[in-house]
Amino acid sequence: MKNDLPSPTEPVRFDKLLTVVIPAYNEGAHIRATLGVIAASIERFADSYEIIVVDDGSTDDTAEQIRLSAGDNAHIRYVCNEQNGGKGSALKTGVSVAANEGYIAFLDADLDLHPDHLVSFYRILKAQSADVVIGSKMHPKSKLDYPKSRRWISTCYYLVLKVLFGLSVHDTQTGVKLFRAEAIHAVMPFILVKRFAYDIEVLALLNRKKARIVEAPIELHFQRGAAWNRIRPRDLFQTGWDTLTVFYRLYILRYYDRAMKASQRSAR
């Protein structure tokens, strides 16, 4: 479902804890400034917040820069994956140490998508009684400064996902998302995809659990120069393969259904 941004008549602040999970790999040159921007933004609309930064096995000084940021701001937490596992792996690690209350957001470390999106996402989440609000490059009100080649890939991937999963959303891959904490905690332990197709796995499982997923417009300003930046042809192949694997586990093996039922039994 597509939703326009509500026109706020008064300032809106998060009513519970906001946790922002940021994966970081070899971001040493940028991460400290990025975290300063993110913290300054969040403080305008959240009284209670934390920023969990997951260093995903970086080989530069990312870890040191995150620790320095944490020293500057007690709301910033440093978490480490010893080995590089991919974005999905880093987000899973971050969610695993996040509080099971309030709201959990995913945000990229490159600031292509400004953290100010989170307050408008929160308005939509509350107005639509949603469990999840995701940014969509395909929303008619989105404003994109984005390479055409990547737009074409996004459109093709949307068509594939529509056929395979029948999701009502148009763009699963945009890096800013806001979840009710209980919704994302309910599915994140079962996420197996470690790299770029983790989004579809998360959203497919939430859809399976009848969570209400809503799309929101974004403003995207591409920051990293080259159209493909760190994405290589083999990453596109791996994303396609992982997407088919999620479909196989979900609809053929029924792996997720069995795993969730087993977890519920063990929790009793």
Side-chain angles (χ1 to χ4, degrees):
M1 176 183 295
K2 293 180 179 178
N3 290 272
D4 297 342
L5 287 175
S7 299
T9 57
E10 58 184 23
V12 174
R13 300 188 72 81
F14 278 72
D15 61 354
K16 297 178 183 177
L17 174 69
L18 170 63
T19 300
V20 180
V21 181
I22 303 171
Y25 175 68
N26 286 350
E27 294 285 348
H30 310 279
I31 193 65
R32 198 172 181 190
T34 293
L35 292 175
V37 170
I38 292 171
S41 171
I42 292 172
E43 285 172 0
R44 293 198 296 270
F45 52 78
D47 296 315
S48 178
Y49 76 93
E50 68 173 347
I51 302 170
I52 297 174
V53 194
V54 184
D55 173 23
D56 190 30
S58 297
T59 57
D60 65 356
D61 65 340
T62 295
E64 179 183 353
Q65 295 301 318
I66 298 171
R67 290 193 184 99
L68 288 171
S69 296
D72 295 336
N73 186 335
H75 294 277
I76 297 173
R77 292 176 61 187
Y78 165 74
V79 178
C80 179
N81 278 349
E82 293 295 335
Q83 295 183 335
N84 176 250
K87 187 174 180 180
S89 176
L91 289 171
K92 184 173 181 176
T93 297
V95 171
S96 73
V97 300
N100 194 13
E101 62 175 306
Y103 310 94
I104 296 177
F106 293 169
L107 195 65
D108 290 341
D110 54 20
L111 285 183
D112 284 4
L113 295 153
H114 198 278
D116 283 356
H117 282 89
L118 296 177
V119 69
S120 56
F121 282 25
Y122 174 67
R123 291 191 190 102
I124 293 172
L125 184 142
K126 299 294 279 189
Q128 298 291 330
S129 298
D131 299 294
V132 188
V133 178
I134 64 173
S136 174
K137 295 185 291 295
M138 296 185 185
H139 193 287
K141 292 198 173 183
S142 289
K143 299 177 182 179
L144 307 179
D145 174 15
Y146 193 64
K148 290 183 179 179
S149 57
R150 293 187 68 160
R151 295 189 200 189
W152 182 81
I153 290 293
S154 295
T155 301
C156 291
Y157 192 52
Y158 155 68
L159 294 173
V160 170
L161 297 182
K162 185 71 174 176
V163 171
L164 291 179
F165 298 98
L167 292 177
S168 60
V169 298
H170 294 76
D171 180 11
T172 63
Q173 302 305 106
T174 297
V176 58
K177 295 177 172 68
L178 179 66
F179 306 84
R180 293 187 187 273
E182 61 270 22
I184 188 62
H185 274 294
V187 300
M188 210 61 176
F190 308 101
I191 299 303
L192 301 178
V193 174
K194 296 180 177 181
R195 295 195 180 272
F196 299 107
Y198 78 92
D199 300 87
I200 184 57
E201 191 174 26
V202 168
L203 295 176
L205 292 192
L206 286 167
N207 186 63
R208 192 75 163 177
K209 292 178 69 67
K210 308 300 183 184
R212 181 168 173 76
I213 304 170
V214 175
E215 289 184 289
I218 59 166
E219 291 189 18
L220 189 154
H221 302 283
F222 195 67
Q223 302 284 339
R224 295 297 179 87
W228 294 100
N229 192 23
R230 298 176 180 178
I231 300 177
R232 301 155 294 184
R234 69 181 183 185
D235 295 326
L236 297 177
F237 174 81
Q238 188 65 53
T239 299
W241 178 258
D242 287 343
T243 300
L244 293 174
T245 300
V246 172
F247 175 85
Y248 182 70
R249 291 194 197 107
L250 185 63
Y251 294 110
I252 308 301
L253 291 181
R254 305 283 180 176
Y255 162 79
Y256 301 108
D257 292 339
R258 291 186 286 105
M260 288 180 183
K261 288 179 182 177
S263 178
Q264 291 170 354
R265 287 195 299 269
S266 64
R268 291 171 185 166

